[in-house]
Amino acid sequence: MAVTNVERKIVRIGNSLGITLPQEVLDHLKVKQGDEIKLQLEKDGTVSFKRQKKLNYDALDGIDQDFLDGMQELFENYDQTLKNLVDR
């Protein structure tokens, strides 16, 4: 896949500052209005973001919602650590 550079200006959105994303970026991420994205702040000053994965809660009927949210957060925070353990 070819690398595409997209430039945006920081704009005021209400009382906040933000950026708008062009349709090509939304299509690439496969996101739409209301979806959540995850931002990752790197030590070198760069920021990356990706579509937030959603659990299919319907398939987990009967399991406490707080537990499911905690498990999702655990996997998001320790994803690379858990992947490294598989390789041992």
Side-chain angles (χ1 to χ4, degrees), residues 55 57 60 63-75:
L55 289 175
Y57 291 118
L60 303 172
I63 300 176
D64 181 67
Q65 185 65 46
D66 288 336
F67 174 78
L68 293 175
D69 291 343
M71 290 301 295
Q72 184 171 0
E73 184 176 341
L74 178 131
F75 283 112

Side-chain angles (χ1 to χ4, degrees), residues 33-55:
Q33 184 175 345
D35 288 348
E36 295 182 12
I37 59 170
K38 181 176 183 177
L39 301 171
Q40 185 166 336
L41 308 178
E42 304 293 343
K43 291 180 181 175
D44 65 359
T46 61
V47 177
S48 62
F49 61 95
K50 61 184 177 182
R51 176 175 29 115
Q52 183 77 323
K53 296 177 183 173
K54 294 182 181 179
L55 289 175

